[in-house]
Amino acid sequence: MTDLMVSFLFIIIILLAFFATQIAPKSRERFEIQASKLTELEKQVQALEAENQRLRRLVSAQDGNPIERYNFQSAELRGKMLDRIQKRIKAADTSIDVSISRNGDALEFKGDGLFGSGSDAPSVTGRRKMEIIAGILRDELRCFSLGERSTLTSACNPAVALIDALQVEGHTDSTGTDVLNMDLSSRRGTSIYAIMVTASPDLLGFRNLRNQPIVSVAGYGKGRPIRDNDSDLSRDANRRIDLRFIMFAPPEEQFVPQRIEDLPRLRQLLVAGPVP
């Protein structure tokens, strides 16, 4: 899909929007049909844009150096993993509102009553949901990590794509000062971290290539809202947790994993630093 074709589709959407506004009030049904078609076209254009970007990265990776190829393959495998996790979460509990971030690197959860205003303690329902999510993460992380709980094989991870960190990210609404919300968001992330590792202790056994624990905590205060904070419902949605999957990115070509048997050597290199 070329940029020209994507631009052409945008023009079609604009024209459809214009014609939809010209429909007489008595033709309300026709208007709704056109509006539905417009929404569907917008979704198709967004999907085409995403695919266009993916293909650009693929071409760049094929023409580029081994680091670019590895990073592309790693991002592709992460995307498939997040898609599996999202589907498994929704299958386990349809009330959990989870989506994959636009950059394809995180699972984003709406608050939906997870935290009360000013509180770092999740609701009873929120705690149960996080325990479900912890079990699914435990199953999926096994093939993208090292450590005593790892089950990494070339069958499930042909590119040897490794998670460097899984951040449990806490967020707040806009109530209160920046300092207060930064502290509150960090405490929310820590609270959910504690619930998840208590429910699934195996999460503590997953390590990255530097032999560091994968699961970590971050707080972003009120700086990354997903709603406008202009109502109780929107503020509730912003009192939330995201899970961000940060993949290992080789600093130099010699650090690119070629096969699983390379990993002990690469770990030594990372500890010792680059070879001059």
Side-chain angles (χ1 to χ4, degrees):
M1 175 61 61
T2 66
D3 291 339
L4 179 61
M5 295 177 69
V6 171
S7 299
F8 179 69
L9 284 172
F10 271 122
I11 293 173
I12 292 176
I13 289 175
I14 292 171
L15 289 173
L16 282 173
F18 171 76
F19 289 130
T21 61
Q22 306 305 306
I23 297 175
K26 63 180 182 180
S27 303
R28 182 65 182 174
E29 184 177 350
R30 289 181 58 197
F31 175 81
E32 292 178 351
I33 292 174
Q34 294 299 326
S36 176
K37 290 181 178 179
L38 175 61
T39 300
E40 185 60 31
L41 275 174
E42 288 176 334
K43 291 180 180 179
Q44 291 178 14
V45 169
Q46 290 175 356
L48 289 172
E49 283 186 319
E51 180 63 10
N52 189 22
Q53 293 175 3
R54 191 192 74 83
L55 292 175
R56 285 177 179 272
R57 291 194 299 268
L58 175 59
V59 171
S60 176
Q62 290 175 337
D63 295 339
N65 59 41
I67 293 178
E68 291 178 337
R69 285 196 296 271
Y70 176 80
N71 288 340
F72 174 81
Q73 293 170 341
S74 181
E76 288 284 284
L77 285 174
R78 174 179 60 188
K80 293 177 181 178
M81 175 179 61
L82 294 187
D83 185 61
R84 286 196 306 272
I85 294 174
Q86 180 191 36
K87 290 178 179 176
R88 289 188 60 186
I89 290 174
K90 289 184 175 181
D93 188 337
T94 57
S95 70
I96 300 177
D97 193 340
V98 55
S99 60
I100 298 174
S101 67
R102 189 166 186 173
N103 292 333
D105 63 347
L107 293 173
E108 298 178 337
F109 300 85
K110 289 182 182 178
D112 289 336
L114 179 59
F115 296 105
S117 181
S119 174
D120 61 10
S123 64
V124 173
T125 301
R127 174 184 289 270
R128 180 186 60 79
K129 291 178 179 180
M130 288 299 156
E131 290 173 345
I132 292 173
I133 293 168
I136 294 171
L137 288 175
R138 175 199 61 212
D139 296 341
E140 292 291 340
L141 293 182
R142 295 183 188 277
C143 199
F144 294 87
S145 64
L146 303 175
E148 59 186 19
R149 300 303 182 186
S150 170
T151 58
L152 173 63
T153 66
S154 57
C156 66
N157 191 346
V160 199
L162 297 173
I163 297 173
D164 196 56
L166 169 56
Q167 289 186 344
V168 182
E169 299 180 349
H171 300 271
T172 71
D173 60 29
S174 60
T175 306
T177 66
D178 290 339
V179 173
L180 183 150
N181 281 304
M182 191 61 71
D183 174 66
L184 178 58
S185 65
S186 297
R187 286 189 282 115
R188 283 176 174 167
T190 301
S191 175
I192 297 303
Y193 168 90
I195 290 170
M196 293 175 69
V197 299
T198 299
S200 294
D202 284 358
L203 291 173
L204 295 171
F206 296 126
R207 302 276 168 163
N208 63 18
L209 195 50
R210 296 176 178 82
N211 200 32
Q212 301 164 333
I214 282 178
V215 186
S216 59
V217 174
Y220 289 96
K222 59 183 179 181
R224 301 187 181 185
I226 57 174
R227 295 291 184 270
D228 291 333
N229 283 304
D230 56 0
S231 69
D232 289 341
L233 286 176
S234 63
R235 286 188 289 273
D236 179 53
N238 287 329
R239 298 193 293 267
R240 71 188 199 280
I241 290 293
D242 291 341
L243 297 176
R244 192 165 308 277
F245 296 72
I246 302 171
M247 307 303 289
F248 169 68
E252 297 180 12
E253 187 173 328
Q254 63 180 325
F255 293 96
V256 176
Q258 301 294 331
R259 52 183 184 168
I260 294 175
E261 290 75 16
D262 288 339
L263 297 180
R265 176 184 63 84
L266 295 179
R267 174 170 284 178
Q268 290 181 347
L269 282 175
L270 285 169
V271 173
V275 177

